[in-house]
């Protein structure tokens, strides 16, 4: 059985990429995001091997969604990438909340868990991206993220 710590880590990582709005990054930051999403998908696939039978559909859908999100080139269809990451994030929330409750989670329990894991996007951006990538992402093509998100890290971190 996949342990709770592994599932919590997967959920934390999915929440971070979502909260950071990293799917809206282009250039080198977008490439960094794609690598991150691929690693997350690989780790989710590994968790599938040892999960409970009732958790399998959520994790399979999460893996599928992350794989599709990683296949979309950075800077294109960023809202679609974001929605696909959100599908994985929600599926993981159902699994983690269900583990906590000892039964399949309800939608409200999964959404409450996601609400508790929400981070202001600029703080999440600073946690997600290394400082060297603060200035290298062009503005988002859909307009969700503009030029105002750069320089999230304090000068002492550089």
């Amino acid at each position: 059985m996949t342990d709770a710590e592994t599932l919590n880590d997967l959920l934390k990582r999915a929440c971070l990429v979502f909260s950071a709005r990293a799917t809206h990054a282009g250039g080198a930051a977008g490439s960094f995001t794609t690598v991150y999403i691929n690693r997350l998908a690989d780790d989710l696939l590994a968790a599938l091997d040892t999960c409970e039978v009732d958790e399998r559909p959520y994790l399979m859908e999460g893996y599928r969604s992350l794989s599709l999100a990683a296949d979309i080139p950075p800077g294109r269809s960023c809202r679609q990438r974001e929605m696909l990451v959100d599908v994985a994030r929600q599926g993981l929330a159902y699994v983690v909340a269900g583990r906590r409750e000892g039964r399949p989670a309800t939608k409200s329990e999964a959404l409450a868990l996601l609400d508790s894991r929400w981070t202001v996007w600029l703080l999440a951006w600073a946690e997600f991206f290394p400082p060297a990538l603060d200035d290298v992402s062009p503005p988002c093509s859909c307009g969700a993220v503009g030029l105002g998100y750069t320089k999230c890290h304090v000068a002492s971190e550089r």
Side-chain angles (χ1 to χ4, degrees):
M1 180 169 81
T2 304
D3 65 6
E5 187 177 328
T6 299
L7 292 170
N8 272 304
D9 178 64
L10 290 168
L11 177 59
K12 177 185 174 193
R13 291 164 54 201
C15 286
L16 184 60
V17 71
F18 184 82
S19 293
R21 306 200 76 183
T23 57
H24 294 272
S31 297
F32 178 87
T33 300
T34 299
V35 169
Y36 185 92
I37 291 172
N38 273 320
R39 284 188 191 136
L40 181 58
D42 290 345
D43 293 345
L44 197 97
L45 183 61
L48 268 165
D49 290 338
T50 57
C51 71
E52 297 288 332
V53 173
D54 60 336
E55 297 169 346
R56 199 175 230 348
Y58 295 107
L59 298 182
M60 286 176 61
E61 187 62 26
Y63 171 74
R64 227 180 341 265
S65 296
L66 290 171
S67 296
L68 288 170
D71 286 344
I72 297 171
R76 287 201 197 147
S77 302
C78 45
R79 287 193 192 268
Q80 184 178 8
R81 286 180 84 184
E82 182 177 57
M83 285 188 292
L84 288 165
V85 168
D86 192 34
V87 168
R89 185 179 75 105
Q90 288 184 34
L92 283 162
Y94 272 96
V95 172
V96 170
R99 285 275 182 99
R100 286 184 183 169
E101 299 298 322
R103 59 169 170 69
T106 64
K107 183 176 183 174
S108 62
E109 290 167 338
L111 293 176
L113 177 60
L114 290 176
D115 284 346
S116 73
R117 301 275 179 110
W118 180 79
T119 304
V120 176
W121 80 271
L122 282 174
L123 294 175
W125 178 280
E127 185 178 338
F128 181 77
F129 289 105
L133 293 179
D134 268 358
D135 296 325
V136 297
S137 180
C140 175
S141 61
C142 75
V145 177
L147 289 173
Y149 60 81
T150 61
K151 301 191 190 280
C152 293
H153 298 276
V154 293
S156 63
E157 292 180 8
R158 290 183 187 241

